[in-house]
Amino acid sequence: MDFVQFCKKLPKIELHAHINGSISPQTMKELVKRKKATKPELADFSIPEGLEYITDFFPLFKFIYQLTDDEESVRLVTRRTIDEFAEDGVRYLELRSTPRANPETGMTKESYVASVLSVVNEPRQNIRVKLIISIDRRNTLEEAQEVVDLAIKFRDQGIVGIDLCGDVMVGSFDKLKPAFERAKAEHFKITLHFNEVKENIPEAPSMLSVNPDRLGHATLLDDASRETIYKNQCPIEVCMTSNVLCKTVSSYEAHHVKDLLKQGHPFVLCTDDKGVFFSELSNEYAKAGVAFDMTREQLFQASFQAIDAIFDDDRVKETLKQDWQTWRKLNQQEFSG
Ligand code: IMP
Ligand code: ZN
């Protein structure tokens, strides 16, 4: 197996993947075709290959959301995204998505979540899937509480956590904090997009005070945040290509995952938005391998230790660990030489 093949075959955990950012170019084309009659103006839409800055990224969703504005397309993109991750060697996937309504098609936030979950819970042999629902930074507290209500309502159907995402330049965490405190009290796991840009740094103490179970990106760490995160052993969801393309990190080699590796701090390689950044999870492993001179054994260990960061229970963690070890034994020849 060459290195790229190895990264693809390696069993992997994906914990930071936004559904509407994960739509592959093929599925995007199909969605455009489906909407040809009602939205002909979207015929020329495609994802640009380069972004000037992170602020160019969020407006893309104005287009994408017009393609996924009904329950059937939501089911379609969820199914395709799961299949594509499985094809890339992902064995355990936590998808995340922001509940969205569209009165024109009759889609409500509740039917949105129900549609995603109906696909998440379809029987599958090769991959386990769970859902995190996202609160958008633009939300009012009332909207954020509505997301928590939906999490409670669908708790038994595979919702494992609540996320804070959205445009890094808008909104404030403090305004939404009571919703996260309630989610914690309801025993949901919490993950927060954290310190992607310097403007987010003042919010860090407040965010860390809700005891998040994982953090997304954590690109810029002031000393106090670093100390708390290291002390709490809070795993970081690392999305290298996303950071490099949004220019919040200057290169793969300069990526802050090198500090985590040095520190032995738990991290999980993830894609963020594989449809927008054109990078599958196997590619993130390959990039890390090259940038930090990691051996196949180190890449296997990176994938193996990610199991401890999942939001599912200990029984699932144990089963995954056994699966990984079985794979390791069966593929011993790939680690020698
Ligand atoms: P959705 O939640 O399935 O609709 O996925 C798209 C949404 O994810 C976008 O509207 C953003 O709010 C959010 N998102 C995707 N990538 C990022 C990121 O890197 N930072 C913050 N939010 C993000
Ligand atoms: Zn993200």
Side-chain angles (χ1 to χ4, degrees):
M1 253 190 252
D2 68 22
F3 183 57
V4 169
Q5 258 179 322
F6 173 83
C7 291
K8 206 170 162 75
K9 290 271 176 281
L10 181 71
K12 294 177 288 296
I13 301 279
E14 169 65 79
L15 302 181
H16 188 134
H18 302 265
I19 293 180
N20 284 277
S22 301
I23 306 170
S24 63
Q26 305 87 287
T27 306
M28 198 73 88
K29 270 196 201 132
E30 205 174 315
L31 291 171
V32 168
K33 223 190 232 167
R34 283 189 72 230
K35 297 283 179 192
K36 212 161 90 188
T38 49
K39 296 190 170 152
E41 69 281 8
L42 292 177
D44 296 330
F45 173 70
S46 64
I47 303 287
E49 294 229 356
L51 296 170
E52 272 299 307
Y53 189 56
I54 191 166
T55 42
D56 295 339
F57 166 74
F58 294 99
L60 288 176
F61 290 97
K62 285 199 190 104
F63 292 96
I64 297 174
Y65 282 167
Q66 293 184 59
L67 295 169
T68 58
D69 65 355
D70 62 285
E71 291 164 23
E72 199 182 324
S73 38
V74 169
R75 283 192 293 270
L76 176 81
V77 295
T78 306
R79 190 173 298 112
R80 288 290 169 76
T81 301
I82 295 171
D83 290 347
E84 288 156 3
F85 275 118
E87 177 66 21
D88 192 45
V90 173
R91 304 270 187 98
Y92 175 92
L93 167 65
E94 284 173 15
L95 281 175
R96 62 183 71 189
S97 201
T98 323
R100 185 159 42 89
N102 178 13
E104 278 172 33
T105 63
M107 183 168 79
T108 62
K109 289 185 181 181
E110 182 168 336
S111 75
Y112 181 95
V113 175
S115 300
V116 171
L117 285 171
S118 71
V119 177
V120 161
N121 290 314
E122 284 169 357
R124 281 179 195 90
Q125 300 295 327
N126 50 353
I127 186 168
R128 289 163 198 266
V129 191
K130 294 286 167 181
L131 183 68
I132 294 168
I133 48 177
S134 301
I135 292 174
D136 190 292
R137 293 180 63 93
R138 279 172 306 192
N139 284 169
T140 60
L141 176 58
E142 199 185 356
E143 288 166 329
Q145 293 287 19
E146 210 185 322
V147 173
V148 181
D149 291 340
L150 288 170
I152 294 168
K153 176 155 191 163
F154 290 102
R155 186 197 289 273
D156 298 337
Q157 293 184 42
I159 295 185
V160 287
I162 311 272
D163 164 49
L164 173 73
C165 73
D167 192 333
V168 289
M169 300 298 192
V170 303
S172 96
F173 178 72
D174 273 341
K175 184 184 73 183
L176 304 172
K177 193 172 175 180
F180 286 93
E181 287 169 337
R182 180 165 154 246
K184 261 276 168 180
E186 288 285 346
H187 306 292
F188 286 103
K189 303 277 189 182
I190 303 282
T191 175
L192 305 172
H193 281 69
F194 186 81
N195 284 18
E196 272 187 84
V197 292
K198 66 177 185 328
E199 287 79 357
N200 300 146
I201 293 176
E203 294 186 319
S206 180
M207 284 189 164
L208 294 176
S209 75
V210 299
N211 286 322
D213 299 281
R214 292 198 308 251
L215 293 171
H217 304 299
T219 313
L220 304 166
L221 292 187
D222 56 289
D223 289 346
S225 299
R226 187 179 296 106
E227 197 184 321
T228 308
I229 292 166
Y230 284 178
K231 184 171 81 349
N232 295 348
Q233 288 286 293
C234 181
I236 312 287
E237 301 154 359
V238 166
C239 311
M240 292 202 295
T241 298
S242 163
N243 299 153
V244 170
L245 291 184
C246 287
K247 302 197 173 73
T248 54
V249 165
S250 59
S251 67
Y252 287 96
E253 291 74 18
H255 196 279
H256 48 285
V257 71
K258 69 179 184 315
D259 302 329
L260 306 176
L261 276 163
K262 204 163 130 199
Q263 181 72 19
H265 184 83
F267 69 89
V268 186
L269 295 177
C270 300
T271 53
D272 208 2
D273 299 280
K274 73 177 181 60
V276 178
F277 303 126
F278 306 108
S279 178
E280 293 195 295
L281 188 57
S282 56
N283 187 52
E284 298 300 308
Y285 275 77
K287 291 281 187 195
V290 171
F292 306 110
D293 214 8
M294 291 168 79
T295 61
R296 292 182 180 203
E297 183 60 42
Q298 285 171 315
L299 289 172
F300 175 81
Q301 288 305 331
S303 167
F304 186 75
Q305 55 106 33
I307 296 171
D308 281 322
I310 70 171
F311 284 169
D312 211 335
D313 60 31
D314 288 349
R315 197 181 38 84
V316 173
K317 286 183 190 170
E318 273 321 303
T319 310
L320 292 173
K321 285 181 183 175
Q322 280 167 19
D323 289 352
W324 260 237
Q325 272 153 350
T326 304
W327 186 89
R328 175 77 178 74
K329 276 199 197 107
L330 288 172
N331 290 277
Q332 178 57 37
Q333 75 282 3
E334 301 300 335
F335 291 84
S336 48

